[in-house]
Amino acid sequence: MFSDFNFHPSLIKAVDKLGYKEPTPVQEACMLDALAKKDLLVSAQTGSGKTAAFILPILHIMLRGKKNTGAKALILAPTRELVRQIYKQFTLLSEFTPIKAAMLTGGEDFKFQAASLRKNPEVIIATPGRLVDHLKRGSTSLEDLEVFVLDEADRMLDMGFDDDLMTIASDTAAMKATWLFSATLGHVGVTKLGKSLLHEAVNIDLAGAQDQHEGISQKMILADDEEHKIRLLHRLFTDYPEDKIVIFTNTKVMASRLSMKLREVERSGVLHGDMTQDERNFVTQQFRQDKIRILVATDVAARGLDIQGIALVINYDLARKGDEYVHRIGRTARAGATGDAISFVTAPEWNLMASIERYLKINIEKIVLPGIEGKYKGPKKVKNNGKAVGKKSPNKKKLAKKAGLKVKSSKKQGGGKRPSKPKIEQEEKRQGGFTPIKKRKKED
Ligand code: AMP
C-alpha cells in the first residue's frame, strides 16, 4: 500500500490522480530504503514502475528537507528518450509540489539549458555526456546533491559512458545516497561501478531468476546412487585440482556425513543451519583463506556466501526449486568471473531437472566422466516438457509392494485428490508482470 510509506500528502494526491492503486514490486522493494537514503543496487526492467520507484522518494526527501540551494537530486539515463520519459513522470508526480526539474540532453539548445539551471532546479535529469559539458562550463554544481540515481546503468556503460559517469560521480557530494538501477546485476561493468560508487548498498534483485546465470557453464551428470556420486566427486576433485569447490546437499545430515567422508581425502569443511554463527564464520573464513578447499553446504547456510574464486559448484543433491538452484550456482562466477556448475541427477530427480531447465529456459548439457559412467542413462522417452514418459511414481509402488500392501491400478485412482503441482511449476506460472517481490537481501 502506498499509505505504508507515509508519503507527503501532495505525493499521495498525485499517485491517486495517476490511478496507481498499489506499489509495483520494485517500488515496494525500494521505497523504505530509498526514503532512509540508503545506497541501492536494483535490478529492474523497463515497465516495472522503476521510474516512480526513484522519483517518489526523491520528491518526498526534497519536500521534507531544507529550502533549495543547488541541485539536490541528479538522475542520469542513457538516452534522450529515456530522459524525456523520466522528466514526464517527474512532472506528473510533482504536480502538487513546488519542486522543479531541469532536463539536459544532447541535441537541445545549450544556452536554454544553462538558463534553466540558473533557476536552481532541485532535480536534474540528464544524459551523462551533456551533463559533463555543463559541469565543465560551470553552469551547475553537484556539491549539494543528496540523491544520485543512475538509471539503466548497464546501458550507459554499454554506450561507453564509463568515463563520464566517473567524472560526474567525482563532482558529487560525498554524503549523498546513490541508487543504481540496471536491467541485470550480472553485468560485469555494473558490478565494478557498484563497487566504486556504492557504500553498504541494499541489493534488490527483481530481474527474475532466469537472468542470474551469466558466466556460469552449467552441466549435469547422470548418477546411479551415493556410491557412484562419491566416485564422481573424486574425479571432479582431480579435474579441478587447485580450485575451491562448493558442494550442495539437501539436508544437514547429508552435509555433515559427506564432509566427514571427504575429509579423509581433501581439506573440507561443512556449513549448515545447525551450526552457531561463530562456527559458520570460522568455516567461511577458512574457505576464504584457502585453508579448506571443499565446502559442503546446505541452501540456508550458503545463501549470500560471497567468496571469490569458487570455480565449481556441485549439486550433490539436486535443488528442490528453480530459484534455489539459481542461488546455488550463483556462488561461482562472482563479480564477473566465470565458473562451472555440475548437477548430479539420479533417476528420481530427472523430472525435477527438466522443470529447472524449463524454469530457466535453457538446456543443461549432459556430460559423462570417462571411465565412471553410470548405469542410468536417462528415461527411455521424454515428453515435450522434457519430463519422462511413464509411470508417475514407480518408487511408491515398489515401496508399497515391499511393505506387503496392495497396489491399486492407476486407472482406478480417478476419484482421489489430485496431487498438488510441484513448487517449480507454480513458480513457472508466476513469471512476468507485477508479481510479488521474490527476493530482497542486503548486499553481502
Ligand atoms: P517504468 O518502468 O518506470 O517505465 O513504468 C512503466 C509504467 O508503469 C509507467 O507508465 C508508469 O506510469 C506505470 N506505473 C508506475 N507505477 C505504477 C503503479 N504503482 N501502478 C500502476 N502503474 C504504475
Side-chain angles (χ1 to χ4, degrees), residues 167-181:
T167 307
I168 295 166
S170 66
D171 267 13
T172 57
M175 289 307 291
K176 65 192 179 297
T178 303
W179 304 340
L180 205 155
F181 287 77

Side-chain angles (χ1 to χ4, degrees), residues 2 15 18-24 26-27 45-54 56 82 85 89 92 151 434:
F2 277 108
V15 163
L18 286 168
Y20 296 176
K21 300 222 159 29
E22 296 264 346
T24 66
V26 67
Q27 290 163 3
Q45 308 285 347
T46 301
S48 60
K50 66 184 164 69
T51 317
F54 55 77
L56 283 168
L82 191 54
Q85 271 178 47
Q89 277 230 42
L92 295 170
D151 193 17
F434 290 168

Side-chain angles (χ1 to χ4, degrees), residues 404-425:
L405 299 170
K406 261 198 168 177
V407 184
K408 278 188 192 169
S409 116
S410 56
K411 275 180 194 161
K412 289 179 190 164
Q413 288 177 339
K417 200 177 158 202
R418 276 188 68 196
S420 70
K421 291 218 167 205
K423 274 187 174 158
I424 270 183
E425 283 185 11

